Amino acid sequence: MVMASVIQKIIPHYSLARWLLCSGSLRWYQHPTEEQLRILAGKQRGKSKKDRKYNGHIENKPLTIPKDIDLHLETKSVTERDTIALHYFPEYQWLVDFTVAATVVYVVTEAYYSYVKPSQEMNISVVWCLLVLAFAVKVLFSLTTHYFKVEDGGERSVCVTFGFFFFVKAMAILIVTENYLEFGLESGFSNFSESAMQFLEKQGLESQGPVSKLTFKLFLAVLCSLIGAFLTFPGLRLAQMHLDALNLATEKITQTLLHINFLAPLFMVLLWVKPIAKDYIMNPPLGKESIPLMSEDTFDTVRLWVIILLCALRLAMMRHHLQAYLNLAQKSVDQMKKEAGRISMVDLQKMVARVFYYLCVIALQYVAPLVMLLHTTLLLKTLGNYSWGIYPELNSDTPVESSLLPSSVYSESPPADGKMKVTVVQITMALGSLKNIFTPLLFRGLLSFLTWWIAACLFSTSLFGLFYHQYLTVA
């Protein structure tokens, strides 16, 4: 509640979302006015119908100009007033600012848990991270539904095709043994099934388990296909912005950071490939022997830090990509000049203005996958019972014991005024038993797989987009 009040009071004055767009580093291209186009085309507004017809304008026909007109667009810095007309700006601002607030809550909670070490308190940062993921998925779902509403374009077919592709890919990944992809899904699911069966037996119920392994993996595959479909166009757009940003970059360090930023999802994917992560990072071969550089717990911590640092790099390179997108307006005009024929003034103005008005849509496609990666990693650390220290201490899971409930609760009949307390204790015991079912081992396997899958989908779509914009578009 405190952070919710802080969001309500501070965001109208200090907003990271507005600062990323309106700090003065982004410049957008203004569409030319009708008078400017008339002057460039050598036409003047006639006072009579005869003059307007002579200049190429009929009453019901829009005024057209040559496509090879010598047009140079004027630029202007993005201001807060300009963002009012942008599509999806409220959703963009809410997602970014709420993510900042949730991250602050997470940092404060982690600091509190590291010093106080409470045992029976609920970690409130988990709720905030889940809310961030819910908002990010909602935004991506809303953007994807717009592609399905387009009748003439092929966006709907692209989403459906990639959705089926990622479903097949997820089914193939889920049958790969732990010797190659080390998620811990098998051990986590086995632990979950055994704990659930023990819980049901204590309740006097007979069961073979809450769900079969085939159903569990089928559900995961469907979820993965939806995530892949949502990340299709963000990945394709990232590839185009990456190519344009490389053409704009003049410094070597900027070009290097852009390449690292594009390959960041690949680095995340390789962190869970056991032959690479364990054989060449943890135990690199030196001659005929292999020297262990770090323990498994240390490697798990380093893996978390690498993902967070790569997410920070992606956020730092956001303006380079957005400016590359805004430059598409001038790029479209330059491409138009190479064509023959005429174009109406209204179509030319729409072609230029459309780029800026969809800036926040592009920003959401850039930020939402980043937010999902970051907070899935934070959930993996918290629910997976990892540590932020490079040399973490051994964390022992202390399951809730049934001895927490006094035997008198069951042996003696409580008085009427004490029935409420007994009910509260019984509910607490039931919630404590759920902790024994949903163990850190299960969350490690599930969240490791989801983090890996988000990075894999983003890299697959961006790699396909790179191939498409680099070769197929030119051809």
Side-chain angles (χ1 to χ4, degrees):
M1 295 301 293
V2 174
M3 184 52 66
S5 178
V6 169
I7 293 175
Q8 184 180 7
K9 299 295 183 182
I10 291 183
I11 284 181
H13 306 285
Y14 303 99
S15 171
L16 177 63
R18 286 201 307 269
W19 180 76
L20 288 173
L21 296 183
C22 308
S23 61
S25 59
L26 293 179
R27 302 188 66 85
W28 63 286
Y29 289 86
Q30 296 178 290
H31 65 82
T33 63
E34 183 177 343
E35 191 64 30
Q36 291 175 338
L37 293 176
R38 286 178 179 274
I39 294 174
L40 290 175
K43 298 181 179 181
Q44 298 179 355
R45 182 184 294 273
K47 296 182 180 180
S48 63
K49 291 185 178 180
K50 184 178 180 180
D51 294 334
R52 291 198 297 269
K53 185 175 181 180
Y54 177 77
N55 289 330
H57 176 75
I58 306 178
E59 291 298 323
N60 296 326
K61 183 179 179 180
L63 181 63
T64 60
I65 58 174
K67 288 186 176 181
D68 58 351
I69 189 173
D70 188 17
L71 175 62
H72 298 280
L73 302 178
E74 297 180 358
T75 61
K76 178 186 176 184
S77 298
V78 179
T79 61
E80 294 186 12
R81 180 176 296 181
D82 298 329
T83 58
I84 297 176
L86 297 181
H87 298 287
Y88 279 89
F89 178 74
E91 290 83 354
Y92 161 75
Q93 184 177 11
W94 171 253
L95 178 62
V96 174
D97 292 337
F98 187 84
T99 301
V100 172
T103 307
V104 172
V105 170
Y106 184 88
V107 172
V108 173
T109 306
E110 286 295 305
Y112 171 75
Y113 270 71
S114 63
Y115 286 103
V116 180
K117 293 180 172 54
S119 57
Q120 299 298 327
E121 295 184 11
M122 177 183 177
N123 195 329
I124 194 63
S125 63
V126 174
V127 179
W128 283 80
C129 291
L130 291 175
L131 287 176
V132 170
L133 291 176
F135 289 137
V137 172
K138 175 185 175 297
V139 166
L140 290 176
F141 173 76
S142 178
L143 294 177
T144 306
T145 54
H146 280 282
Y147 293 115
F148 279 83
K149 295 177 182 178
V150 179
E151 296 293 339
D152 299 332
E155 291 84 355
R156 182 190 308 175
S157 301
V158 172
C159 289
V160 173
T161 302
F162 271 91
F164 279 106
F165 165 74
F166 283 119
F167 177 77
V168 176
K169 181 180 178 180
M171 292 296 292
I173 293 297
L174 288 172
I175 64 175
V176 175
T177 63
E178 297 284 337
N179 295 328
Y180 299 99
L181 293 175
E182 190 184 20
F183 303 127
L185 269 177
E186 298 290 338
S187 57
F189 179 78
S190 300
N191 181 268
F192 167 71
S193 298
E194 294 175 1
S195 301
M197 290 177 61
Q198 293 176 3
F199 174 77
L200 294 175
E201 289 177 357
K202 289 182 180 180
Q203 303 300 320
L205 301 174
E206 295 184 0
S207 175
Q208 299 296 326
V211 64
S212 64
K213 184 182 293 186
L214 179 61
T215 306
F216 174 72
K217 291 190 175 182
L218 183 63
F219 172 77
L220 271 184
V222 173
L223 178 62
C224 291
S225 66
L226 292 176
I227 294 175
F230 293 160
L231 295 179
T232 296
F233 280 97
L236 297 177
R237 177 64 66 178
L238 177 64
Q240 183 180 9
M241 292 190 296
H242 172 71
L243 292 174
D244 295 337
L246 284 177
N247 295 329
L248 291 175
T250 56
E251 300 179 357
K252 291 293 184 181
I253 182 64
T254 304
Q255 295 177 352
T256 303
L257 292 177
L258 286 172
H259 284 300
I260 296 176
N261 178 62
F262 183 80
L263 295 175
L266 176 62
F267 298 149
M268 300 178 191
V269 168
L270 295 179
L271 289 175
W272 273 278
V273 179
K274 191 173 182 180
I276 297 177
K278 295 297 179 69
D279 297 342
Y280 289 96
I281 298 179
M282 288 183 56
N283 302 300
L286 296 177
K288 297 183 179 180
E289 299 179 356
S290 59
I291 300 178
L293 292 181
M294 61 185 77
S295 63
E296 191 168 349
D297 292 336
T298 303
F299 177 76
D300 293 334
T301 302
V302 170
R303 180 162 52 193
L304 297 177
W305 278 113
V306 169
I307 297 175
I308 292 176
L309 291 177
L310 292 176
C311 289
L313 173 63
R314 175 148 295 195
L315 181 63
M317 305 306 294
M318 178 177 176
R319 288 179 180 172
H320 294 274
H321 291 81
L322 293 183
Q323 186 60 58
Y325 166 75
L326 290 174
N327 290 347
L328 287 179
Q330 184 62 53
K331 187 177 180 181
S332 300
V333 172
D334 294 339
Q335 181 66 28
M336 180 195 68
K337 293 179 181 179
K338 301 177 183 179
E339 301 174 358
R342 303 177 69 86
I343 185 173
S344 67
M345 288 186 179
V346 177
D347 291 340
L348 177 58
Q349 291 172 338
K350 286 182 179 180
M351 181 181 66
V352 176
R354 187 184 298 117
V355 174
F356 176 65
Y357 289 145
Y358 283 94
L359 174 62
C360 285
V361 175
I362 306 305
L364 280 173
Q365 290 180 338
Y366 187 91
V367 169
L370 166 64
V371 168
M372 292 176 64
L373 274 173
L374 175 62
H375 280 268
T376 307
T377 305
L378 298 181
L379 282 177
L380 174 60
K381 185 271 167 190
T382 302
L383 297 179
N385 200 19
Y386 287 118
S387 173
W388 290 120
I390 299 299
Y391 298 98
E393 300 178 357
L394 293 177
N395 295 324
S396 59
D397 299 331
T398 57
V400 181
E401 307 235 352
S402 59
S403 60
L404 291 176
L405 188 63
S407 60
S408 60
V409 172
Y410 301 99
S411 61
E412 299 179 3
S413 178
D417 57 353
K419 288 184 178 180
M420 184 65 69
K421 295 182 179 180
V422 173
T423 303
V424 172
V425 173
Q426 290 176 346
I427 294 175
T428 304
M429 285 294 301
L431 294 177
S433 300
L434 291 179
K435 291 183 180 180
N436 295 333
I437 299 176
F438 299 97
T439 60
L441 194 61
L442 171 65
F443 288 120
R444 285 187 182 188
L446 187 60
L447 293 174
S448 294
F449 174 74
L450 289 179
T451 304
W452 182 90
W453 180 257
I454 294 172
C457 290
L458 196 58
F459 181 71
S460 300
T461 53
S462 59
L463 188 64
F464 176 81
L466 187 68
F467 173 76
Y468 175 80
H469 292 293
Q470 189 76 20
Y471 299 102
L472 298 183
T473 305
V474 176

